[in-house]
Amino acid sequence: MTTGRYSAVELDPTLDDYQLAAALVREAGNLALLMRMGGLNAQQKTSVSDVVTAADHAAEAYVLAQLQRCRPEDGILGEEGASVQGSSGRTWVIDPVDGTYNFLHGSTYWCSAIALKDSNDVVLGAIFQPEEDKLWLGGKDQAATLNGDVLDTFHGDRNNTTVAELGAATYIHPTWLMDPMCAMPWHAAATSAAALRMLGSGSCDLGRVADGQLGSWFQHSCPEWDWLPGKAIVTAAGGAADTVRVNGLDWFIAGGTTAVNDLRAALRSGSVA
């Protein structure tokens, strides 16, 4: 497949789902990186920090075409508009460039991510951060790995460590801080953590929760493409993932069991009766 002057690999349909997911995010991420090197402009979506580039569209088009070749019976849902109704009961959820604002401004903290879900839950996730050559992979039938090495982050004391000892990564758009219904739960959770990180790519964050670089993570109102890839990998590493509704907003939480429980309680403490 050729996008402009960039060529991406046609994948082998006999790859298993994990191999296919890993190949898709690696190819999509490298395609986006090559396009950025060639020069890109951005279009604003909902705000100055919510942008989309030609690389987002090209990477999603590549993944869409490969999935239609390799998994023709599966559904497809993409951040940039891909929508295919499958017949298998399974759906691939695509985030071609997560952290587009970072990507556009030359940061390395962005990735390509994909998840496969069925009617019950997420089955697997894959996240590839091209400029650091990090590939996280994991799911229900495969332990979480980073570049092929098994992650055992949550198989020791980590699951019992509080968020006050670990810290948390998060994201909130500045405009939401003006809304008490959102700001109060966020503030309660943020101030419960030992330290706070806001880096601009939820999937990169969740990969680092899975490998232990970040202690835990929380964010409100995540679309599936921002949540499911990382959720699959964190839980495959032995961690916990949860969603709690506070003040009409859904908050998504990941980390060790105790940290997730702490963040859930903190978010609920910001509820407006």
Side-chain angles (χ1 to χ4, degrees):
M1 175 183 177
T2 301
T3 305
R5 69 174 188 265
Y6 306 109
S7 294
V9 174
E10 294 227 325
L11 300 179
D12 182 353
T14 65
L15 294 172
D16 68 32
D17 289 334
Y18 289 88
Q19 293 169 328
L20 179 60
L24 285 168
V25 292
R26 187 176 290 278
E27 290 296 324
N30 284 331
L31 172 60
L33 179 58
L34 285 170
M35 291 186 69
R36 189 183 73 180
M37 292 168 63
L40 287 172
N41 292 315
Q43 293 179 322
Q44 184 173 310
K45 295 200 292 190
T46 63
S47 72
V48 70
S49 61
D50 182 18
V51 293
V52 63
T53 72
D56 297 72
H57 291 297
E60 181 162 299
Y62 167 76
V63 176
L64 173 64
Q66 297 307 306
L67 285 172
Q68 289 181 308
R69 285 181 55 253
C70 297
R71 298 293 188 272
E73 296 180 354
D74 291 349
I76 303 168
L77 175 66
E79 179 180 12
E80 306 310 333
S83 180
V84 175
Q85 187 70 42
S87 59
S88 67
R90 310 189 329 159
T91 301
W92 295 85
V93 181
I94 309 165
D95 196 346
V97 177
D98 180 52
T100 301
Y101 189 75
N102 289 351
F103 170 77
L104 183 64
H105 289 84
S107 169
T108 65
Y109 205 80
W110 61 276
C111 64
S112 291
I114 195 167
L116 174 63
K117 66 174 186 173
D118 60 20
S119 58
N120 297 313
D121 201 358
V122 64
V123 174
L124 65 85
I127 298 166
F128 179 58
Q129 191 176 349
E131 293 183 85
E132 296 194 15
D133 193 29
K134 291 180 181 289
L135 175 63
W136 294 270
L137 182 67
K140 290 186 174 180
D141 299 320
Q142 183 172 306
T145 59
L146 171 57
N147 292 346
D149 295 329
V150 174
L151 300 174
D152 59 358
T153 307
F154 300 101
H155 293 116
D157 292 337
R158 188 83 164 198
N159 252 334
N160 302 315
T161 306
T162 66
V163 72
E165 298 171 271
L166 283 173
T170 185
Y171 176 76
I172 186 169
H173 193 274
T175 56
W176 281 101
L177 290 173
M178 295 185 289
D179 180 355
M181 301 293 279
C182 178
M184 290 176 66
W186 184 86
H187 182 269
T191 56
S192 74
L196 207 60
R197 299 288 181 266
M198 194 179 300
L199 300 167
S201 167
S203 286
C204 286
D205 290 347
L206 287 164
R208 284 167 172 78
V209 171
D211 69 28
Q213 291 186 55
L214 293 173
S216 58
W217 180 90
F218 68 98
Q219 186 176 326
H220 75 84
S221 306
C222 291
E224 289 186 302
W225 46 77
D226 284 339
W227 170 239
L228 293 182
K231 176 188 176 183
I233 295 166
V234 170
T235 55
D242 196 14
T243 306
V244 60
R245 192 163 182 83
V246 182
N247 297 341
L249 294 172
D250 289 324
W251 293 85
F252 297 79
I253 315 166
T257 301
T258 298
V260 166
N261 289 340
D262 291 344
L263 287 168
R264 185 192 309 112
L267 288 163
R268 284 175 170 161
S269 75
S271 175
V272 177

